[in-house]
Amino acid sequence: MSVNKLEEKQVNLHNYWEMSKKTIIKRNKIKKRIRTVVFGTKDRPRLTVFRSNKEIYAQVIDDTNSKTIVASSSKDKDLKLKTSNKIEVSKIVGDSIGKKAIKAGIKNVSFDRNGYLYHGRVKSLADGAREAGLNF
């Protein structure tokens, strides 16, 4: 491989990293701005969402005691996932977190979208939690 081709590959990789670095920084700014407003208490804990490329995770957190009350994810074995559609899986996870929270005695939560747009999988998870009986 010639030196020019090697340099070209390195530049392309560097440009890719810079682009993803910018998106990470942008999401962290949005996340920080949201967290100044959304805070979980014992009476009204915070329902937070983390979304990866393959999976989705949700937790109900009491920020005053820094404790996770209930959690659910698409990796849970007790969820019988019959579909590979990510939006439908998110709705099932939202339903699961809602049922677990109500079983733990929680009806009202503050929704923390964690810097993600309220669209697609995040919205589907929120709709599933609402259908299970959570208020936010």
Side-chain angles (χ1 to χ4, degrees), residues 6 46 100 118 121 133:
L6 184 63
R46 175 172 57 102
K100 286 180 181 180
Y118 187 77
R121 292 193 281 162

PDB file of all heavy atoms in Angstrom, residues 6 46 100 118 121 133:
ATOM      1  N   LEU A   6      -2.467   5.221   2.382  1.00  0.00           N
ATOM      2  CA  LEU A   6      -2.505   5.080   3.828  1.00  0.00           C
ATOM      3  C   LEU A   6      -2.905   6.397   4.491  1.00  0.00           C
ATOM      4  O   LEU A   6      -3.742   6.418   5.396  1.00  0.00           O
ATOM      5  CB  LEU A   6      -1.145   4.610   4.348  1.00  0.00           C
ATOM      6  CG  LEU A   6      -1.052   4.334   5.846  1.00  0.00           C
ATOM      7  CD1 LEU A   6      -1.994   3.197   6.209  1.00  0.00           C
ATOM      8  CD2 LEU A   6       0.361   3.978   6.226  1.00  0.00           C
ATOM      9  N   ARG A  46     -37.660   9.696  38.281  1.00  0.00           N
ATOM     10  CA  ARG A  46     -37.323  10.008  36.890  1.00  0.00           C
ATOM     11  C   ARG A  46     -37.273   8.721  36.073  1.00  0.00           C
ATOM     12  O   ARG A  46     -36.595   7.771  36.441  1.00  0.00           O
ATOM     13  CB  ARG A  46     -35.967  10.710  36.879  1.00  0.00           C
ATOM     14  CG  ARG A  46     -35.394  11.011  35.538  1.00  0.00           C
ATOM     15  CD  ARG A  46     -34.150  11.873  35.684  1.00  0.00           C
ATOM     16  NE  ARG A  46     -33.123  11.291  36.518  1.00  0.00           N
ATOM     17  CZ  ARG A  46     -32.030  10.690  36.065  1.00  0.00           C
ATOM     18  NH1 ARG A  46     -31.815  10.605  34.781  1.00  0.00           N
ATOM     19  NH2 ARG A  46     -31.139  10.200  36.894  1.00  0.00           N
ATOM     20  N   LYS A 100     -43.777  -2.814  36.083  1.00  0.00           N
ATOM     21  CA  LYS A 100     -42.865  -2.960  37.224  1.00  0.00           C
ATOM     22  C   LYS A 100     -42.956  -1.761  38.162  1.00  0.00           C
ATOM     23  O   LYS A 100     -42.913  -1.911  39.387  1.00  0.00           O
ATOM     24  CB  LYS A 100     -41.423  -3.120  36.734  1.00  0.00           C
ATOM     25  CG  LYS A 100     -41.122  -4.462  36.127  1.00  0.00           C
ATOM     26  CD  LYS A 100     -39.677  -4.529  35.674  1.00  0.00           C
ATOM     27  CE  LYS A 100     -39.335  -5.850  35.028  1.00  0.00           C
ATOM     28  NZ  LYS A 100     -37.934  -5.910  34.588  1.00  0.00           N
ATOM     29  N   TYR A 118     -37.638  13.128  20.907  1.00  0.00           N
ATOM     30  CA  TYR A 118     -38.858  12.419  21.284  1.00  0.00           C
ATOM     31  C   TYR A 118     -39.523  11.952  19.990  1.00  0.00           C
ATOM     32  O   TYR A 118     -40.466  12.556  19.487  1.00  0.00           O
ATOM     33  CB  TYR A 118     -39.782  13.337  22.086  1.00  0.00           C
ATOM     34  CG  TYR A 118     -40.979  12.624  22.659  1.00  0.00           C
ATOM     35  CD1 TYR A 118     -40.844  11.836  23.783  1.00  0.00           C
ATOM     36  CD2 TYR A 118     -42.222  12.738  22.060  1.00  0.00           C
ATOM     37  CE1 TYR A 118     -41.933  11.175  24.312  1.00  0.00           C
ATOM     38  CE2 TYR A 118     -43.313  12.075  22.579  1.00  0.00           C
ATOM     39  CZ  TYR A 118     -43.163  11.298  23.702  1.00  0.00           C
ATOM     40  OH  TYR A 118     -44.246  10.627  24.212  1.00  0.00           O
ATOM     41  N   ARG A 121     -38.224   5.292  18.635  1.00  0.00           N
ATOM     42  CA  ARG A 121     -38.159   4.329  19.740  1.00  0.00           C
ATOM     43  C   ARG A 121     -38.398   4.973  21.098  1.00  0.00           C
ATOM     44  O   ARG A 121     -39.012   4.365  21.971  1.00  0.00           O
ATOM     45  CB  ARG A 121     -36.806   3.628  19.745  1.00  0.00           C
ATOM     46  CG  ARG A 121     -36.618   2.726  18.554  1.00  0.00           C
ATOM     47  CD  ARG A 121     -35.453   1.817  18.722  1.00  0.00           C
ATOM     48  NE  ARG A 121     -34.195   2.495  18.463  1.00  0.00           N
ATOM     49  CZ  ARG A 121     -33.026   2.035  18.870  1.00  0.00           C
ATOM     50  NH1 ARG A 121     -32.946   0.936  19.562  1.00  0.00           N
ATOM     51  NH2 ARG A 121     -31.922   2.687  18.581  1.00  0.00           N
ATOM     52  N   GLY A 133     -49.991   2.509  32.545  1.00  0.00           N
ATOM     53  CA  GLY A 133     -50.594   3.213  33.668  1.00  0.00           C
ATOM     54  C   GLY A 133     -49.733   4.288  34.307  1.00  0.00           C
ATOM     55  O   GLY A 133     -50.149   4.892  35.290  1.00  0.00           O
TER      56      GLY A 133
END
